[in-house]
Amino acid sequence: MKLTPTKLTLMLACTMSLLTAGCSKQTDNDSAKAPKVIIDPNPYPSTYTPIEGQPTLITNVTILDGVGNRIENGSIYFANGKIQALAESGQTLDVPDETAVIDGAGKWVTPGIIDNHSHLGVYPSPSTRSHSDGNEMTNPVTAQVWAEHSVWPQDPGFGRALAGGVTSLQILPGSANLFGGRSVVLKNVPNRTMQDMKFPDAPYGMKMACGENPKRVYGQKGGPMTRMGNVAGYRQAWSDAQDYMRKWDKYETDYQAGKDAKAPKRDLKLETLAGVLNGDIRVHMHCYRADEMTVMMDVMQEFDYQIGTFHHAVEAYKIADKLKANNVCSAMWADWWGFKMEAYDGIRENIPAVHAAGACAIVHSDSDLGIQRLNQEAAKAWSDGKRAGLDIPMKDAWTWLSANPAKSLGVFDKTGSLEKGKQADVVLWNDNPFSTYAKAEHVYIDGGLAYSLSDSTSWPVSDFELGQVGEGDTK
């Protein structure tokens, strides 16, 4: 087509008009860009409702407050779900007329026991293959799975643990994988759904495992098959998570700059790992050997995250100073050792040795049976330490069962000690709780009476147990 001056002028005019319209259209797009993509960090919120309780005063009782104090012939008063006051011998507490008063002469009061390593609900009783839901053994890195989606609330183990004075517990995935998935913290009030038991606002945890387990499970399935392979797997996963975070940071920056930014594709695995790197999710790491724990603290420093707790940690006594320096707790058995090579160099004085070095020591169960008598597990460790010359007062040793696990789980501002304003998670023992013969007489959770030794109607019975030989058990 031959362009005449007139046609050329018309075309230029049309082009300018289109450009102007195009600019106007872009401005309209800016004002109507896609809404910002925001990911809900808590899509399965707690629906926990405390047991209704009444104001309660326990008098003339020996109190271990969970943070290193012992009160003889003391009193404790709780109401509205909270600790209201503690009193020394000879002091009187003013309480309302409707208060239930219990004479605690010859008895002891402690904070409720907190087990920071349990598999109740994900490895429930009866133990059958169809109930085995704790290990997603399909890949060494399964950070995308959440233990709460495997918890079976009908597990009779919850009621058995309650009779042992356990008021809160962390449910962890198993230890087959480098990254096993998210943990969940529960209030030990057996209920119909996991969410009805879920500890409100407790941080999520990330279960990791080092050493023998991952290399045994994956050694013939593509790896890792060595400890160096394990470490390479952690480092690659953290590196991938950092890259994922950079993509979301860029999206955030571009969106704030007014650009029509496209959000990265959501990746549940990397999202959880990013939560650890952001400090929102706590690391709970299955690890036995001292050398491996130090390697993992090196990796922690390389990628700038915090390991909250090493679990099992049978060689923690060898590096207690390093654990203290790195602010890492150790959750340990009293006397489990020798059942595999990486557990061979354990000692019975492990827990008191870690405590004596000024590091954070915790007694955990990792067992549906051990969780029923964690007070006795602590007593064994305490007495073994005493025989070895580590004379730790009982009032300090109880921190292994309450304050320290609460710190490990990020709930110490709410529970774990008998202090004014904290949740009334309280156990009244009929004897010194370090005695083999002591039993939990009353267990209160948020001030509500969850279990009474003398009232069998208060004992939780799982629906699954009804009509069965072991219904209700004998506490």
Side-chain angles (χ1 to χ4, degrees):
M1 179 180 68
K2 184 177 180 181
L3 294 178
T4 64
T6 302
K7 288 181 178 179
L8 183 59
T9 301
L10 288 172
M11 287 181 66
L12 288 172
C14 290
T15 300
M16 292 302 295
S17 176
L18 286 170
L19 287 172
T20 304
C23 291
S24 175
K25 185 176 181 181
Q26 183 63 41
T27 302
D28 291 341
N29 280 344
D30 282 347
S31 62
K33 63 183 178 182
K36 186 178 181 181
V37 176
I38 299 175
I39 296 173
D40 182 358
N42 188 23
Y44 310 104
S46 170
T47 53
Y48 166 75
T49 301
I51 300 170
E52 186 175 346
Q54 70 175 118
T56 300
L57 173 67
I58 304 174
T59 63
N60 305 316
V61 72
T62 301
I63 300 172
L64 303 179
D65 69 359
V67 286
N69 298 302
R70 175 171 173 166
I71 302 173
E72 300 289 352
N73 297 315
S75 299
I76 180 171
Y77 171 59
F78 49 92
N80 301 317
K82 306 288 186 183
I83 306 291
Q84 301 296 330
L86 281 80
E88 303 277 352
S89 176
Q91 293 180 330
T92 301
L93 295 176
D94 292 327
V95 298
D97 292 339
E98 67 272 16
T99 300
V101 180
I102 299 172
D103 183 357
K107 302 176 183 179
W108 294 56
V109 162
T110 69
I113 293 173
I114 301 172
D115 189 358
N116 80 332
H117 191 119
S118 177
H119 299 294
L120 292 183
V122 299
Y123 286 119
S125 302
S127 179
T128 68
R129 185 162 185 161
S130 63
H131 274 168
S132 178
D133 288 312
N135 267 319
E136 182 63 29
M137 292 185 287
T138 54
N139 191 284
V141 180
T142 57
Q144 71 273 17
V145 302
W146 298 25
E148 64 192 65
H149 297 140
S150 281
V151 170
W152 186 48
Q154 291 190 53
D155 184 355
F158 289 117
R160 309 293 192 271
L162 181 62
V166 174
T167 54
S168 299
L169 63 167
Q170 176 177 225
I171 309 303
L172 290 155
S175 54
N177 300 347
L178 301 176
F179 296 86
R182 292 200 197 196
S183 67
V184 63
V185 180
L186 303 179
K187 285 279 195 175
N188 194 20
V189 180
N191 218 310
R192 295 175 299 169
T193 70
M194 170 277 301
Q195 284 174 271
D196 284 346
M197 301 172 70
K198 195 171 183 179
F199 196 123
D201 302 320
Y204 278 111
M206 161 56 63
K207 175 65 177 295
M208 295 177 63
C210 68
E212 179 181 319
N213 285 20
K215 74 192 195 80
R216 184 186 70 242
V217 173
Y218 292 101
Q220 303 303 316
K221 298 196 308 186
M225 69 179 297
T226 62
R227 283 177 166 81
M228 61 184 174
N230 284 353
V231 175
Y234 308 130
R235 297 180 71 218
Q236 187 60 62
W238 292 129
S239 180
D240 291 344
Q242 288 178 329
D243 184 59
Y244 186 69
M245 293 170 69
R246 284 190 287 268
K247 291 177 182 177
W248 277 97
D249 287 344
K250 183 177 185 305
Y251 168 72
E252 179 76 23
T253 300
D254 288 349
Y255 192 93
Q256 293 299 326
K259 298 179 181 178
D260 191 13
K262 183 179 179 180
K265 180 182 178 181
R266 190 176 181 187
D267 186 310
L268 297 179
K269 176 170 64 179
L270 297 177
E271 185 176 298
T272 292
L273 295 177
V276 174
L277 296 179
N278 282 328
D280 298 325
I281 298 175
R282 293 172 171 252
V283 171
H284 295 273
M285 188 156 200
H286 160 120
C287 213
Y288 286 76
R289 288 182 1 192
D291 60 309
E292 289 191 86
M293 287 185 269
T294 57
V295 168
M296 292 318 306
M297 287 188 284
D298 287 342
V299 174
M300 171 185 85
Q301 291 164 4
E302 178 186 6
F303 289 93
D304 193 24
Y305 66 95
Q306 179 65 46
I307 296 172
T309 309
F310 284 121
H311 290 247
H312 311 330
V314 297
E315 293 186 12
Y317 65 95
K318 297 181 180 181
I319 54 165
D321 57 331
K322 295 182 181 295
L323 294 169
K324 178 183 178 182
N326 285 279
N327 194 31
V328 180
C329 290
S330 295
M332 298 161 281
W333 295 296
D335 53 7
W336 284 20
W337 69 278
F339 47 90
K340 54 181 176 177
M341 282 303 300
E342 64 183 5
Y344 190 74
D345 213 10
I347 61 172
R348 294 172 63 97
E349 300 83 9
N350 193 24
I351 294 169
V354 170
H355 175 97
C360 171
I362 296 167
V363 177
H364 73 354
S365 77
D366 191 27
S367 164
D368 62 328
L369 299 177
I371 196 173
Q372 299 177 36
R373 49 191 64 87
L374 277 171
N375 62 307
Q376 294 181 24
E377 296 300 303
K380 287 191 292 186
W382 170 77
S383 62
D384 287 331
K386 194 176 184 69
R387 278 192 292 271
L390 301 173
D391 194 5
I392 299 167
M394 289 182 186
K395 63 184 182 180
D396 292 330
W398 197 265
T399 62
W400 307 341
L401 294 171
S402 58
N404 289 352
K407 292 173 183 177
S408 165
L409 300 179
V411 295
F412 184 60
D413 60 325
K414 302 175 179 66
T415 189
S417 63
L418 302 178
E419 298 178 273
K420 183 177 179 180
K422 286 202 172 181
Q423 295 171 356
D425 297 337
V426 178
V427 182
L428 173 65
W429 302 88
N430 63 7
D431 204 337
N432 182 335
F434 281 75
S435 166
T436 304
Y437 302 102
K439 291 186 177 182
E441 188 170 296
H442 287 165
V443 181
Y444 300 90
I445 300 179
D446 285 312
L449 183 59
Y451 171 82
S452 174
L453 180 63
S454 61
D455 180 10
S456 60
T457 63
S458 73
W459 302 353
V461 178
S462 163
D463 286 352
F464 189 81
E465 290 184 281
L466 294 176
Q468 305 298 317
V469 175
E471 179 181 328
D473 199 9
T474 299
K475 306 296 190 291

